[in-house]
Amino acid sequence: MPEKRSAVEPRLVTRRRLLSMFDDYEMRAVGSLRVSSLLPGDLPGEGWEWLPRSAVESGTGLVLVDMAGERSAIAPPFPVTEAGEHSGFDRVRELLNHPRTVALVLLRLGSYAVGVAEDEHVAVSKTGGRYVKGRHRAGGQSQRRFERNREKWVRELFDEVCEVSRSRFEAYEKPIDWLALGGDRQVLGQFMNRCRMPRDLAERTLPWRPPIDKPGRSELESAVTAVWSSRMYSPPATVD
């Protein structure tokens, strides 16, 4: 009977924690460490079939770590720009530590947080919200009237977030490298269809969405940490 393997789920690892792990790997490796960097879209070779599709198609590429058969894969927060094979993590450290400026828009119906972060530190922020009532369960004209009002409330929220984002991002004194979006995927899709981001930021949206509960200042701080974090994959455990 073939072995069954548990699903492979990534764990979010902060930049500081990952850099510390690299030091530990290199101390234990004693010449057996191989680090391979793959560009976005590149496929890992034999022995990495256990990686889920979400990892292979991460949009930021992969860093494959093999230390005497002990394997793990890392999807970095920002795209790999140079493929290659190395005996250490110097190139990956450069990728993680390269200074970057990221604009953030966190949005759920009713509240939002907008900010600009430099190298994992919030430099500009603005939070706010607009009332958007939940779905109306009644039928007939009452429901249709409510739905029209609700669409109006949503548009007003989107327009406010768009105006705040544009004013903050356009006024920022330094070039913005990336845009990070957090919140409900459907709501974000509707918002981006309505709002035109300045500086062509929409074309530089990071593929990962930081986990968001209710947008606010503390959630913005957490989102910034998540934006600079990596997703680490380990081989699945065999189950009976």
Side-chain angles (χ1 to χ4, degrees), residues 67-185:
M67 189 175 71
E70 179 185 338
R71 292 182 169 180
S72 59
I74 301 161
F78 305 103
V80 174
T81 57
E82 183 180 346
E85 205 169 282
H86 312 282
S87 58
F89 292 99
D90 287 348
R91 293 292 178 87
V92 188
R93 288 188 180 96
E94 291 175 8
L95 174 68
L96 296 177
N97 288 327
H98 183 78
R100 289 180 176 84
T101 302
V102 178
L104 296 98
V105 177
L106 314 182
L107 177 62
R108 287 191 179 276
L109 291 184
S111 59
Y112 67 86
V114 171
V116 178
E118 288 189 28
D119 197 30
E120 213 172 338
H121 298 285
V122 176
V124 172
S125 67
K126 168 68 175 176
T127 63
R130 274 180 176 262
Y131 175 75
V132 178
K133 191 174 182 180
R135 297 286 181 182
H136 190 53
R137 297 175 181 268
Q141 292 184 353
S142 174
Q143 180 178 2
R144 288 192 291 273
R145 184 169 58 252
F146 175 84
E147 289 299 330
R148 287 194 297 270
N149 288 335
R150 190 172 189 275
E151 289 172 1
K152 176 176 176 290
W153 297 330
V154 172
R155 288 196 303 270
E156 290 175 346
L157 172 65
F158 286 174
D159 290 346
E160 179 177 334
V161 178
C162 186
E163 177 58 32
V164 169
S165 300
R166 289 180 63 85
S167 64
R168 295 302 191 277
F169 301 162
E170 287 178 343
Y172 200 70
E173 66 275 11
K174 296 181 181 179
I176 295 176
D177 301 303
W178 297 98
L179 171 66
L181 302 175
D184 181 86
R185 185 182 299 274

Side-chain angles (χ1 to χ4, degrees), residues 34-37 83-88:
R34 187 174 63 186
V35 180
S36 304
S37 299
E85 205 169 282
H86 312 282
S87 58

